[in-house]
Amino acid sequence: MACPVNNTVELNPTLLPLEWLLGTWECDEPGEGSFPTIKPFRYTETLHFSHVGQPVINFMFNAFHAESKKPMHRECGFVRMQPGTNRVAFIIAQNSGLVEIEEGELTGQQLSLQSQQLARISFAKEPYVKQICRVFQLRPDGKLEQTVSMATDNQPLMQHLRITYRRS
Ligand code: HEM
């Protein structure tokens, strides 16, 4: 896929295994959010993955309240791939004050990531997240699915989010 900033920039060959991720993805129906300590909720989300010719994917994830459409959770960051391997790293900043490094593997068109490092602002809301596991999968029907599980100070690892997107 061409670079959206400058159409003449070729995708860096390191990123060819992740080419399927590039572009804009809109959720096809509201995602489902849950956790034992909160009321289940629904949300919409748009994902943007782009590049500027570097061996790096730039991304922005913007989530909204399903009914009021108000902006909610937002994340942005970078994806890097270790050349010649299937190792992938996500470097992420979240609007909640959390920053994280997730690493994992690309298998076919599935990315399975686990948090390696988490840090937060000094006045972040409790409970604190202790661990994050995230899976992106391009399904045979062309839809992208994301699931996010987390563990907090007081809850073991459990699913927080599940959502599917179609390419827009
Ligand atoms: C609650 C983390 C993404 C919506 C929470 C809580 C944590 C958390 C720690 C508090 C749980 C508790 O009170 O026990 C995260 C992390 C995310 C993420 C680490 C990404 C990796 C999202 C997204 C949405 C969302 C994309 C979509 C709108 C909510 C809502 C609540 C919540 C509505 C309950 C109310 C609240 O505490 O604000 N999340 N979240 N979260 N999250 Fe997420």
mmCIF file of all heavy atoms in Angstrom, residues 24-49:
data_model
loop_
_atom_site.group_PDB
_atom_site.id
_atom_site.type_symbol
_atom_site.label_atom_id
_atom_site.label_comp_id
_atom_site.label_asym_id
_atom_site.label_seq_id
_atom_site.Cartn_x
_atom_site.Cartn_y
_atom_site.Cartn_z
ATOM 1 N N THR A 24 -7.021 2.509 6.893
ATOM 2 C CA THR A 24 -7.975 2.941 7.925
ATOM 3 C C THR A 24 -9.019 1.853 8.115
ATOM 4 O O THR A 24 -9.535 1.310 7.133
ATOM 5 C CB THR A 24 -8.642 4.268 7.495
ATOM 6 O OG1 THR A 24 -7.620 5.251 7.387
ATOM 7 C CG2 THR A 24 -9.671 4.742 8.495
ATOM 8 N N TRP A 25 -9.301 1.554 9.355
ATOM 9 C CA TRP A 25 -10.278 0.515 9.702
ATOM 10 C C TRP A 25 -11.364 1.123 10.588
ATOM 11 O O TRP A 25 -11.046 1.760 11.588
ATOM 12 C CB TRP A 25 -9.587 -0.619 10.468
ATOM 13 C CG TRP A 25 -8.518 -1.341 9.718
ATOM 14 C CD1 TRP A 25 -7.185 -1.009 9.638
ATOM 15 C CD2 TRP A 25 -8.673 -2.536 8.944
ATOM 16 N NE1 TRP A 25 -6.515 -1.929 8.866
ATOM 17 C CE2 TRP A 25 -7.396 -2.877 8.430
ATOM 18 C CE3 TRP A 25 -9.757 -3.367 8.639
ATOM 19 C CZ2 TRP A 25 -7.184 -3.997 7.626
ATOM 20 C CZ3 TRP A 25 -9.539 -4.484 7.845
ATOM 21 C CH2 TRP A 25 -8.271 -4.794 7.346
ATOM 22 N N GLU A 26 -12.611 0.901 10.208
ATOM 23 C CA GLU A 26 -13.750 1.384 11.015
ATOM 24 C C GLU A 26 -14.440 0.159 11.603
ATOM 25 O O GLU A 26 -14.629 -0.828 10.876
ATOM 26 C CB GLU A 26 -14.793 2.075 10.114
ATOM 27 C CG GLU A 26 -14.284 3.264 9.346
ATOM 28 C CD GLU A 26 -14.397 4.553 10.122
ATOM 29 O OE1 GLU A 26 -14.862 4.527 11.280
ATOM 30 O OE2 GLU A 26 -13.995 5.573 9.552
ATOM 31 N N CYS A 27 -14.876 0.254 12.846
ATOM 32 C CA CYS A 27 -15.567 -0.916 13.397
ATOM 33 C C CYS A 27 -16.853 -1.136 12.605
ATOM 34 O O CYS A 27 -17.504 -0.176 12.175
ATOM 35 C CB CYS A 27 -15.840 -0.771 14.881
ATOM 36 S SG CYS A 27 -16.910 0.565 15.313
ATOM 37 N N ASP A 28 -17.201 -2.398 12.358
ATOM 38 C CA ASP A 28 -18.399 -2.670 11.560
ATOM 39 C C ASP A 28 -19.639 -2.687 12.443
ATOM 40 O O ASP A 28 -20.738 -2.422 11.982
ATOM 41 C CB ASP A 28 -18.258 -3.963 10.739
ATOM 42 C CG ASP A 28 -17.948 -5.170 11.590
ATOM 43 O OD1 ASP A 28 -17.545 -5.000 12.756
ATOM 44 O OD2 ASP A 28 -18.121 -6.292 11.089
ATOM 45 N N GLU A 29 -19.450 -2.983 13.719
ATOM 46 C CA GLU A 29 -20.538 -2.857 14.705
ATOM 47 C C GLU A 29 -19.860 -2.507 16.028
ATOM 48 O O GLU A 29 -18.650 -2.726 16.163
ATOM 49 C CB GLU A 29 -21.343 -4.152 14.810
ATOM 50 C CG GLU A 29 -20.505 -5.361 15.093
ATOM 51 C CD GLU A 29 -21.303 -6.657 14.971
ATOM 52 O OE1 GLU A 29 -21.986 -6.834 13.957
ATOM 53 O OE2 GLU A 29 -21.222 -7.454 15.911
ATOM 54 N N PRO A 30 -20.590 -1.962 16.990
ATOM 55 C CA PRO A 30 -19.918 -1.541 18.220
ATOM 56 C C PRO A 30 -19.144 -2.680 18.880
ATOM 57 O O PRO A 30 -19.585 -3.833 18.875
ATOM 58 C CB PRO A 30 -21.071 -1.073 19.107
ATOM 59 C CG PRO A 30 -22.120 -0.636 18.145
ATOM 60 C CD PRO A 30 -22.015 -1.598 16.986
ATOM 61 N N GLY A 31 -17.974 -2.333 19.404
ATOM 62 C CA GLY A 31 -17.177 -3.303 20.144
ATOM 63 C C GLY A 31 -17.761 -3.523 21.521
ATOM 64 O O GLY A 31 -18.571 -2.713 22.002
ATOM 65 N N GLU A 32 -17.335 -4.606 22.141
ATOM 66 C CA GLU A 32 -17.847 -4.943 23.478
ATOM 67 C C GLU A 32 -16.740 -4.786 24.501
ATOM 68 O O GLU A 32 -15.649 -5.336 24.333
ATOM 69 C CB GLU A 32 -18.327 -6.393 23.495
ATOM 70 C CG GLU A 32 -19.562 -6.606 22.654
ATOM 71 C CD GLU A 32 -19.737 -8.066 22.264
ATOM 72 O OE1 GLU A 32 -19.041 -8.936 22.837
ATOM 73 O OE2 GLU A 32 -20.572 -8.316 21.381
ATOM 74 N N GLY A 33 -17.029 -4.019 25.544
ATOM 75 C CA GLY A 33 -16.069 -3.836 26.627
ATOM 76 C C GLY A 33 -16.599 -4.451 27.900
ATOM 77 O O GLY A 33 -17.804 -4.356 28.176
ATOM 78 N N SER A 34 -15.715 -5.072 28.644
ATOM 79 C CA SER A 34 -16.139 -5.680 29.908
ATOM 80 C C SER A 34 -14.930 -5.855 30.817
ATOM 81 O O SER A 34 -13.783 -5.781 30.357
ATOM 82 C CB SER A 34 -16.805 -7.046 29.655
ATOM 83 O OG SER A 34 -15.909 -7.879 28.966
ATOM 84 N N PHE A 35 -15.198 -6.097 32.062
ATOM 85 C CA PHE A 35 -14.190 -6.445 33.052
ATOM 86 C C PHE A 35 -14.995 -6.718 34.318
ATOM 87 O O PHE A 35 -16.081 -6.150 34.479
ATOM 88 C CB PHE A 35 -13.187 -5.275 33.241
ATOM 89 C CG PHE A 35 -11.838 -5.736 33.721
ATOM 90 C CD1 PHE A 35 -11.065 -6.611 32.968
ATOM 91 C CD2 PHE A 35 -11.336 -5.303 34.957
ATOM 92 C CE1 PHE A 35 -9.820 -7.035 33.416
ATOM 93 C CE2 PHE A 35 -10.097 -5.721 35.407
ATOM 94 C CZ PHE A 35 -9.339 -6.585 34.632
ATOM 95 N N PRO A 36 -14.504 -7.597 35.196
ATOM 96 C CA PRO A 36 -15.347 -7.970 36.347
ATOM 97 C C PRO A 36 -15.771 -6.786 37.206
ATOM 98 O O PRO A 36 -16.829 -6.830 37.846
ATOM 99 C CB PRO A 36 -14.445 -8.914 37.154
ATOM 100 C CG PRO A 36 -13.430 -9.400 36.187
ATOM 101 C CD PRO A 36 -13.245 -8.332 35.160
ATOM 102 N N THR A 37 -14.965 -5.724 37.217
ATOM 103 C CA THR A 37 -15.210 -4.592 38.126
ATOM 104 C C THR A 37 -15.991 -3.444 37.498
ATOM 105 O O THR A 37 -16.210 -2.417 38.146
ATOM 106 C CB THR A 37 -13.836 -4.043 38.554
ATOM 107 O OG1 THR A 37 -13.009 -4.009 37.380
ATOM 108 C CG2 THR A 37 -13.192 -4.903 39.612
ATOM 109 N N ILE A 38 -16.366 -3.565 36.210
ATOM 110 C CA ILE A 38 -17.057 -2.432 35.561
ATOM 111 C C ILE A 38 -18.339 -2.906 34.871
ATOM 112 O O ILE A 38 -18.529 -4.100 34.650
ATOM 113 C CB ILE A 38 -16.153 -1.724 34.516
ATOM 114 C CG1 ILE A 38 -15.773 -2.684 33.365
ATOM 115 C CG2 ILE A 38 -14.905 -1.141 35.161
ATOM 116 C CD1 ILE A 38 -15.010 -2.031 32.235
ATOM 117 N N LYS A 39 -19.183 -1.919 34.552
ATOM 118 C CA LYS A 39 -20.417 -2.217 33.817
ATOM 119 C C LYS A 39 -20.050 -2.487 32.356
ATOM 120 O O LYS A 39 -19.272 -1.709 31.777
ATOM 121 C CB LYS A 39 -21.322 -0.968 33.882
ATOM 122 C CG LYS A 39 -22.786 -1.297 34.110
ATOM 123 C CD LYS A 39 -23.587 -0.036 34.314
ATOM 124 C CE LYS A 39 -24.093 0.435 32.967
ATOM 125 N NZ LYS A 39 -24.658 1.762 32.909
ATOM 126 N N PRO A 40 -20.565 -3.573 31.755
ATOM 127 C CA PRO A 40 -20.254 -3.817 30.341
ATOM 128 C C PRO A 40 -20.649 -2.605 29.503
ATOM 129 O O PRO A 40 -21.623 -1.923 29.816
ATOM 130 C CB PRO A 40 -21.127 -5.027 29.990
ATOM 131 C CG PRO A 40 -21.472 -5.659 31.286
ATOM 132 C CD PRO A 40 -21.485 -4.563 32.315
ATOM 133 N N PHE A 41 -19.878 -2.320 28.448
ATOM 134 C CA PHE A 41 -20.166 -1.144 27.631
ATOM 135 C C PHE A 41 -19.916 -1.451 26.164
ATOM 136 O O PHE A 41 -19.320 -2.469 25.824
ATOM 137 C CB PHE A 41 -19.300 0.047 28.083
ATOM 138 C CG PHE A 41 -17.819 -0.179 27.914
ATOM 139 C CD1 PHE A 41 -17.154 0.230 26.764
ATOM 140 C CD2 PHE A 41 -17.072 -0.807 28.904
ATOM 141 C CE1 PHE A 41 -15.796 0.020 26.604
ATOM 142 C CE2 PHE A 41 -15.706 -1.030 28.752
ATOM 143 C CZ PHE A 41 -15.069 -0.609 27.596
ATOM 144 N N ARG A 42 -20.404 -0.551 25.312
ATOM 145 C CA ARG A 42 -20.200 -0.683 23.867
ATOM 146 C C ARG A 42 -19.502 0.577 23.358
ATOM 147 O O ARG A 42 -19.712 1.662 23.893
ATOM 148 C CB ARG A 42 -21.550 -0.869 23.166
ATOM 149 C CG ARG A 42 -22.091 -2.299 23.287
ATOM 150 C CD ARG A 42 -23.604 -2.344 23.268
ATOM 151 N NE ARG A 42 -24.200 -1.550 22.223
ATOM 152 C CZ ARG A 42 -24.486 -2.007 21.000
ATOM 153 N NH1 ARG A 42 -24.245 -3.243 20.687
ATOM 154 N NH2 ARG A 42 -25.055 -1.223 20.109
ATOM 155 N N TYR A 43 -18.669 0.403 22.370
ATOM 156 C CA TYR A 43 -17.917 1.546 21.846
ATOM 157 C C TYR A 43 -17.659 1.358 20.357
ATOM 158 O O TYR A 43 -17.739 0.241 19.839
ATOM 159 C CB TYR A 43 -16.590 1.705 22.606
ATOM 160 C CG TYR A 43 -15.592 0.583 22.374
ATOM 161 C CD1 TYR A 43 -14.488 0.760 21.547
ATOM 162 C CD2 TYR A 43 -15.756 -0.666 22.970
ATOM 163 C CE1 TYR A 43 -13.571 -0.257 21.335
ATOM 164 C CE2 TYR A 43 -14.850 -1.700 22.758
ATOM 165 C CZ TYR A 43 -13.758 -1.484 21.939
ATOM 166 O OH TYR A 43 -12.863 -2.500 21.726
ATOM 167 N N THR A 44 -17.385 2.473 19.672
ATOM 168 C CA THR A 44 -16.956 2.387 18.281
ATOM 169 C C THR A 44 -15.487 2.814 18.241
ATOM 170 O O THR A 44 -14.993 3.464 19.166
ATOM 171 C CB THR A 44 -17.792 3.288 17.361
ATOM 172 O OG1 THR A 44 -17.619 4.645 17.770
ATOM 173 C CG2 THR A 44 -19.265 2.914 17.417
ATOM 174 N N GLU A 45 -14.809 2.423 17.171
ATOM 175 C CA GLU A 45 -13.373 2.758 17.114
ATOM 176 C C GLU A 45 -12.898 2.793 15.675
ATOM 177 O O GLU A 45 -13.328 2.008 14.842
ATOM 178 C CB GLU A 45 -12.554 1.727 17.902
ATOM 179 C CG GLU A 45 -11.117 2.165 18.120
ATOM 180 C CD GLU A 45 -10.338 1.232 19.035
ATOM 181 O OE1 GLU A 45 -10.520 0.002 18.937
ATOM 182 O OE2 GLU A 45 -9.545 1.723 19.835
ATOM 183 N N THR A 46 -12.011 3.735 15.397
ATOM 184 C CA THR A 46 -11.346 3.837 14.091
ATOM 185 C C THR A 46 -9.851 3.659 14.302
ATOM 186 O O THR A 46 -9.283 4.239 15.238
ATOM 187 C CB THR A 46 -11.604 5.235 13.478
ATOM 188 O OG1 THR A 46 -13.011 5.449 13.433
ATOM 189 C CG2 THR A 46 -11.057 5.323 12.068
ATOM 190 N N LEU A 47 -9.246 2.857 13.457
ATOM 191 C CA LEU A 47 -7.797 2.637 13.516
ATOM 192 C C LEU A 47 -7.156 3.193 12.245
ATOM 193 O O LEU A 47 -7.691 2.988 11.153
ATOM 194 C CB LEU A 47 -7.473 1.133 13.575
ATOM 195 C CG LEU A 47 -8.226 0.235 14.549
ATOM 196 C CD1 LEU A 47 -7.659 -1.192 14.477
ATOM 197 C CD2 LEU A 47 -8.115 0.754 15.971
ATOM 198 N N HIS A 48 -6.029 3.874 12.389
ATOM 199 C CA HIS A 48 -5.261 4.334 11.225
ATOM 200 C C HIS A 48 -3.847 3.771 11.335
ATOM 201 O O HIS A 48 -3.181 3.995 12.361
ATOM 202 C CB HIS A 48 -5.107 5.863 11.219
ATOM 203 C CG HIS A 48 -6.390 6.610 11.199
ATOM 204 N ND1 HIS A 48 -7.116 6.802 10.059
ATOM 205 C CD2 HIS A 48 -7.079 7.218 12.191
ATOM 206 C CE1 HIS A 48 -8.195 7.504 10.343
ATOM 207 N NE2 HIS A 48 -8.202 7.755 11.636
ATOM 208 N N PHE A 49 -3.415 3.066 10.305
ATOM 209 C CA PHE A 49 -2.025 2.581 10.243
ATOM 210 C C PHE A 49 -1.406 3.161 8.973
ATOM 211 O O PHE A 49 -1.937 2.941 7.872
ATOM 212 C CB PHE A 49 -1.985 1.057 10.145
ATOM 213 C CG PHE A 49 -2.476 0.315 11.351
ATOM 214 C CD1 PHE A 49 -3.781 -0.146 11.410
ATOM 215 C CD2 PHE A 49 -1.623 0.042 12.419
ATOM 216 C CE1 PHE A 49 -4.239 -0.867 12.511
ATOM 217 C CE2 PHE A 49 -2.064 -0.669 13.526
ATOM 218 C CZ PHE A 49 -3.375 -1.130 13.576
#
